[in-house]
Amino acid sequence: MGALSALEETLENRWEALWARVLDKEPVEVLDALRHACDDNAVVCRADRVMVPNAYDVELSDEVHDQLTRHGTNVGQALTDSLARHAERKGYEFAGPLAVHVARCPDVPNGRYRVASRVMQHVSTDGFFHAAH
């Protein structure tokens, strides 16, 4: 790991620790769920190419949404930046431009958040299958 990568990872870990302290661990849990959605949907196309979905939807309960946006932080951009760094460390390629959409959803089953990933509709899923050949 290069010095710049180590510095980026250290800064990201400190940023996550600060969020966890200030906001009762919710952002770190949401970021972990995003990372899992990315990792769980990775498609190995070739030995040197791993594709992952490029669109992520984060639905937050009213309480969590209020908590995360109370400090004026652009939560969607912060999560997008963190997920992009995660993918870079893992050597993933997104199936198109990365987007993390954060929305308020009062009927989230666990009362906190729900994360889903997909390939954006305007990006052909055929690319996943053709890249493997």
Side-chain angles (χ1 to χ4, degrees), residues 42-52 93 127-133:
V43 175
V44 178
C45 299
R46 301 188 303 258
D48 62 340
R49 188 168 189 203
V50 179
M51 301 289 292
V52 292
E93 287 181 49
F128 272 82
F129 300 110
H130 293 310
H133 302 293

Side-chain angles (χ1 to χ4, degrees), residues 30 57-61 101-105 107-110 112-116:
V30 172
D57 297 310
V58 178
E59 296 177 337
L60 302 172
S61 68
H101 181 257
V102 178
R104 179 186 301 263
C105 185
D107 64 339
V108 174
N110 63 6
R112 297 181 0 218
Y113 59 87
R114 176 174 41 214
V115 173

Side-chain angles (χ1 to χ4, degrees), residues 7-9 16-17 23 33 35 41 43 63 67 75 90 100 104 109 117 122 126 128:
L7 176 62
E8 285 179 351
E9 188 169 345
E16 289 174 11
L23 300 172
R35 288 176 182 154
N41 292 292
V43 175
E63 179 183 333
Q67 228 179 12
V75 177
K90 294 278 196 158
V100 176
R104 179 186 301 263
S117 65
H122 71 273
D126 292 338
F128 272 82

